[in-house]
Amino acid sequence: MNSLPKTTTSGTPESGTRTSGASAGGGRAAWSLRTRLRQRDDPTVPPWIFVVPALVVYAVVVLYPSLAGVVYAFTDWSGVGGFSFVGVDNFRTLLDDKRALESVSNTLLLTIAVVVVQNGIGLLLALGVHANIRSRSLLRVIFFAPAVVSPVMVAFLWKYVYNPDNGAGLNAVLGAVGLGGLRQDWLGNPSLALWSIAAMVVWQYAGYSMVIFLAGLQGVPAELHEAARIDGAGNLQRFRYVTWPLLAPALTINLMLSTIGGLKLFDQVYAATNGGPGTSSETLSTVLYKEAFVYGKFGYSTAVALVLALFVAAVSLVQLRYLRAREVTA
């Protein structure tokens, strides 16, 4: 007699269960083997290969000149030929250089003026164009337009505005409105040249600060203003206790950008006054440029550049930590 296959309690043949289990195990092993072979023979290029060209360009254009500049700061290199190491003599010369020390003072004053006035005007413009007025889109474009113009072009434009002739530029406007007594040689007066440049920079970048503040204003929930209005808060109170704390991130960005821009300001100063009259509008950037390309002292100029870079980094880090802490408390 033929014996029937043994069955399990579930009623399925025991031998069939073993066969199906073996088949499933063999299938999984075969699939795993095929996957490993496919991964080994995969012709796909590793993703990091695509980063290499950019890294090479960055190393040649940024890293190598930066590191070379640090080395040249301790040499007497004239821009061509060989050089010899002079230790910290360039930095000692910088401390004894009256023109360089005056440029540090000018740079700080210019930066403070630009940071305070530019961000103050930018905030007022943002509050204005954030209101529900028909022309707000056009006003945004008008106020932001100077920020996309070349700084050199802006400097030449304002050189005409500051024309010392009584019949041109700002002096002509002052004469037309009966304020002829306020006419000045705006860029030729040592006591006014630096502030005239500051006004030029503020005019160009106030719209840029406006856009950043405007983005912050649009992120303030309308429900908070509505709740404050229901509680009886006026416009100033709503700005102080609702809007201003929530603008902390936008304020951080604006202060950082305007501070760094002011400390390394060069284009407008060089194109408008070339650091003059005398040294009244010299900045650290114009000093290092002249030392390198006018006097041929590349070693000394790189020392000035290194000091400027470290100074900007230190100020930026301190400012960033303070502003970040303010964001948390706000």
Side-chain angles (χ1 to χ4, degrees), residues 9-325:
T9 56
S10 61
T12 57
E14 185 178 4
S15 59
T17 303
R18 293 184 185 138
T19 304
S20 60
S23 299
R28 285 194 296 269
W31 179 84
S32 177
L33 178 60
R34 287 196 300 270
T35 301
R36 288 197 298 270
L37 292 175
R38 189 181 301 113
Q39 290 175 349
R40 183 180 302 175
D41 299 334
D42 190 1
T44 304
V45 178
W48 58 267
I49 292 295
F50 296 97
V51 185
V52 172
L55 290 178
V56 171
V57 173
Y58 182 78
V60 173
V61 177
V62 178
L63 292 181
Y64 174 74
S66 300
L67 296 176
V70 174
V71 175
Y72 290 141
F74 299 92
T75 69
D76 59 355
W77 189 45
S78 63
V80 294
F83 58 85
S84 58
F85 286 92
V86 295
V88 296
D89 288 352
N90 288 329
F91 299 95
R92 292 174 180 169
T93 303
L94 176 61
L95 295 176
D96 296 331
D97 190 345
K98 293 182 179 180
R99 185 167 65 95
L101 295 178
E102 184 179 357
S103 71
V104 174
S105 175
N106 292 338
T107 301
L108 292 176
L109 291 175
L110 185 61
T111 301
I112 293 172
V114 168
V115 170
V116 174
V117 180
Q118 175 182 318
N119 288 287
I121 294 177
L123 179 58
L124 293 177
L125 293 176
L127 292 172
V129 299
H130 186 61
N132 292 324
I133 55 178
R134 291 184 178 180
S135 59
R136 59 180 180 177
S137 297
L138 177 62
L139 291 175
R140 292 174 186 179
V141 174
I142 293 174
F143 292 142
F144 181 72
V148 300
V149 181
S150 167
V152 176
M153 292 182 62
V154 170
F156 282 114
L157 171 64
W158 278 80
K159 284 186 74 173
Y160 173 77
V161 173
Y162 290 139
N163 194 317
D165 189 354
N166 291 335
L170 181 59
N171 286 338
V173 174
L174 293 175
V177 298
L179 299 176
L182 298 179
R183 293 168 176 167
Q184 299 286 340
D185 185 1
W186 302 98
L187 296 178
N189 188 337
S191 61
L192 293 176
L194 191 68
W195 310 117
S196 299
I197 294 173
M200 178 196 314
V201 176
V202 169
W203 176 84
Q204 182 174 10
Y205 292 112
Y208 190 88
S209 298
M210 175 202 71
V211 171
I212 297 175
F213 279 127
L214 187 59
L217 288 173
Q218 291 175 344
V220 178
E223 294 81 3
L224 295 180
H225 284 286
E226 186 63 27
R229 188 181 296 108
I230 294 174
D231 291 339
N235 292 331
L236 290 178
Q237 290 176 319
R238 290 200 304 272
F239 174 78
R240 178 180 178 183
Y241 295 108
V242 177
T243 304
W244 181 244
L246 295 178
L247 281 180
L251 181 65
T252 298
I253 296 173
N254 268 329
L255 290 181
M256 290 293 298
L257 292 177
S258 56
T259 300
I260 294 173
L263 291 175
K264 63 184 186 65
L265 195 65
F266 171 77
D267 297 0
Q268 294 91 333
V269 177
Y270 191 79
T273 65
N274 195 20
T279 59
S280 60
S281 63
E282 286 276 24
T283 63
L284 275 173
S285 297
T286 59
V287 167
L288 71 89
Y289 175 84
K290 291 179 181 179
E291 292 293 338
F293 298 102
V294 177
Y295 306 116
K297 300 178 180 179
F298 277 81
Y300 178 61
S301 69
T302 52
V304 177
L306 181 59
V307 170
L308 176 60
L310 294 176
F311 182 65
V312 171
V315 172
S316 300
L317 288 175
V318 172
Q319 188 181 45
L320 181 61
R321 294 195 62 176
Y322 170 76
L323 294 173
R324 288 298 187 189

